[in-house]
Amino acid sequence: MDVAVWYCIPSIFLFFYVHYHAVSSEAIGPHLYLLLIGLLSLVLSRLVLYRLIPDRRVAHIVTSCVISAVLLSMLLYYGLVLIGLGSWARVISWDLITSYTMQLPGLMDSLGVPVYVMFALFAVVYVALTYATHAYIQRFEWVSRVLPVIPGWLHLFIVTAGFAVCSIAVYRFMQSPPVQKSEPLSLTFFPMFAARDLQGHAIDKIMAQKLDRLEDAARSSYMAKKEGLGKRNLILIVVDALRPDHMGIYGYRRNTTPNLAHMIQSGQARIVKNVRSSCGESACGLLSLASSKFVYQFSNKPFTLQQVLRRQGYQVQMILGGDHTSFYGLKELYGEVDSYFDGSMATGYYVNDDQLVLDHTGRLPSWDGKPVMMQFHLMSTHVMGKRHGRFAQYAPSENYMFHANRIAKNNDKHINFYDNGVVQADAVIHDLLAALQSKGYLKDALVVITADHGEALGEHGLYAHANSVREEALRIPLIFIPYGYQSGLRGEFRTAAAQVDIAPTILAEFGFSIPSTWAGSSMQDTQRKSYSYFQEGQAAGVIDYRDPENLWKYWFDAKSGHEHAYNLTRDPMEKDNVISQVASGLKQDWRLQQMQLMPGIQDASHLRRE
């Protein structure tokens, strides 16, 4: 009976974990084994408690409280895992749990939930669990009945041997966590063991070593520009989950970006349209931006934009909203830098509050004349970013983080919530650039504003990000604003560009050579490329640039077996899947491109047309 009750909650969780999130069923066995170790530890603890507490009634109460605390922790953990999978397609890490626990008031405020309501809910659930557990123990308790017939020496031996077995099992788990089987506890406590498994695309050790050797060769052969030649500053601003079609400067019906619009009208700024990220979430989007690589090309030691500019004599400073330190090793992805600051290092702020970026920037010294790259990360438009009331121009608004809000089908509230975040991001960028200008960093500089990925706002029944390769998840803005010099970016760009093209474009603008291993090409180069690539989880595909009159997007979902094809020139929001109308030769080209470059989804047994 104890075993059946113990495995009830985990069984429900594993059903959702495997069935709804495309996780391998190999995760079930290791997780059930770890839970068996947990059950054994709980039974041994009960043996100790009933020996230490002679009063049977008191022992029942204490045991009920302990078991209820364990069950509540289990419920909370499973809930966080499913939230993590639904929000950013990853099992939540222990570092992230502890980080957000310390930021709980700010987190609840950003989600619009009073802290006292959350604690009251936890208390109610805990009391209910304790009551149910106590009733169960009174009816089915066997420990107190067994103890009187067990000699003291045998009881001591059972407890000691049992805890020894549990300790050995825990040690083996820590030494060899089953991350490759996607067991959730191992992914929580050892996220970096699976760091190269980005978006469902696992890079095996042999491939990683080969790619690392190529990156090392590119590093060693890279020639820096001679000293004494003008080297202007780079200000790279990445706004998390910023959609271009919700920005006034991209033609949105609302004037959500008045400050950017003013800068564009009065300067030489260049807005690039039709730019797409390599995926729909932060880790691979930021790595793709930094390394000019598509997801299938990721290695363990990429030659990043930050490293290139350090070779060129730049100081590289990272000032980032959000917790990049705990969020699956994002800090490590950037490579070696001269100074690093993110939300996890700020005291007195909610980790996703962009005010901490502004305040840290305000404390910077004036520019000393040496070339510098500054990368900023803003969270104003992220679903968990802090919204400040003074930017709430559109009402009523409602955070769409919670599924209960989404099924209410009042999409206007969600759009208002997101648009208020865009208004706030526009104001933060304005204040950020004003601070940098006052300190001299913009005397001779290029400002680049972009995003790591897009955001779904109910289109195709989806919200947030890390859940699709739809246009709303992949389209990102790209704005170049030169300060103090005449830019070479004023000509016409290609009809479409990829996230991997941003870093090469920056280097070309600065007159620096582009590393040989980078997949992107500078947008100053008018030569038309054939394809770019994208993927998210089990879906991956290509953008076909070959026909200047028709921009095609093809992708295949390995989970459902469905093919998708959209003429983005005529159908920019992917409303009409025309895969059945595409010529067979063209489809074969797309399939070959996708299958040879996306080995992680080649195991689909067949293609099924919608």
Side-chain angles (χ1 to χ4, degrees), residues 32 36 48 61 223 247 282 294 309 352 397 459 516 539 604 610:
L32 294 180
L36 182 61
V48 173
I61 294 173
M223 299 297 292
M247 301 172 68
S282 292
F294 295 109
L309 291 181
N352 294 335
S397 68
E459 301 90 348
S516 58
E610 282 191 329

Side-chain angles (χ1 to χ4, degrees), residues 90 93 95 191-192 195-196 283 287 323-335 340:
R90 303 257 186 108
S93 70
D95 286 340
M192 296 309 297
R196 293 300 93 196
L287 182 55
D323 184 356
H324 296 235
T325 302
S326 302
F327 194 79
Y328 302 97
L330 276 178
K331 180 180 179 180
E332 305 303 322
L333 298 180
Y334 298 125
Y340 178 89

Side-chain angles (χ1 to χ4, degrees), residues 249-277:
I249 57 173
Y250 276 86
Y252 186 45
R253 58 185 174 84
R254 288 173 165 173
N255 185 22
T256 53
T257 51
N259 294 295
L260 283 174
H262 178 73
M263 285 187 281
I264 289 168
Q265 292 167 2
S266 61
Q268 304 178 48
R270 182 73 169 90
I271 299 177
V272 185
K273 300 179 180 180
N274 229 0
V275 182
R276 290 170 182 81
S277 62

Side-chain angles (χ1 to χ4, degrees), residues 138-298:
Q138 284 185 314
R139 182 176 179 84
F140 298 107
E141 178 56 66
W142 56 271
V143 175
S144 61
R145 300 172 188 172
V146 170
L147 277 179
V149 300
I150 298 179
W153 65 268
L154 182 57
H155 175 268
L156 180 61
F157 174 78
I158 291 172
V159 171
T160 303
F163 277 122
V165 169
C166 293
S167 299
I168 293 171
V170 171
Y171 175 79
R172 291 179 61 186
F173 167 74
M174 294 177 66
Q175 292 300 307
S176 182
V179 292
Q180 301 304 326
K181 295 184 177 181
S182 300
E183 193 284 317
L185 283 169
S186 62
L187 293 175
T188 293
F189 288 101
F190 304 97
M192 296 309 297
F193 278 48
R196 293 300 93 196
D197 185 9
L198 292 175
Q199 300 305 104
H201 183 91
I203 301 177
D204 61 48
K205 292 182 179 179
I206 296 176
M207 178 60 73
Q209 290 172 358
K210 178 181 177 180
L211 294 173
D212 288 341
R213 286 195 295 269
L214 294 174
E215 292 295 285
D216 287 339
R219 251 186 295 265
S220 62
S221 63
Y222 187 80
M223 299 297 292
K225 192 175 181 180
K226 293 181 179 179
E227 294 294 336
L229 298 177
K231 294 181 179 179
R232 55 186 51 93
N233 294 336
L234 171 64
I235 310 299
L236 175 59
I237 302 174
V238 181
V239 186
D240 206 306
L242 179 59
R243 281 177 59 160
D245 60 340
H246 278 250
M247 301 172 68
I249 57 173
Y250 276 86
Y252 186 45
R253 58 185 174 84
R254 288 173 165 173
N255 185 22
T256 53
T257 51
N259 294 295
L260 283 174
H262 178 73
M263 285 187 281
I264 289 168
Q265 292 167 2
S266 61
Q268 304 178 48
R270 182 73 169 90
I271 299 177
V272 185
K273 300 179 180 180
N274 229 0
V275 182
R276 290 170 182 81
S277 62
S278 301
C279 61
E281 64 98 21
S282 292
C284 62
L286 288 168
L287 182 55
S288 182
L289 172 63
S291 65
S292 186
K293 295 284 196 304
F294 295 109
V295 177
Y296 73 93
Q297 300 169 321
F298 286 169

Side-chain angles (χ1 to χ4, degrees), residues 11 26 28 50 55 68 70 95 103 111 133 173 175 178 194 205 231 263 305 404 410 453 459 468 488 502 570-572:
S11 298
E26 290 183 338
I28 296 175
Y50 276 93
D55 190 316
S68 299
V70 173
D95 286 340
Q103 297 277 335
L111 297 177
T133 304
F173 167 74
Q175 292 300 307
K205 292 182 179 179
K231 294 181 179 179
M263 285 187 281
L305 175 64
N410 192 341
H453 53 76
E459 301 90 348
S468 82
I502 297 175
R570 304 175 184 176
D571 182 19

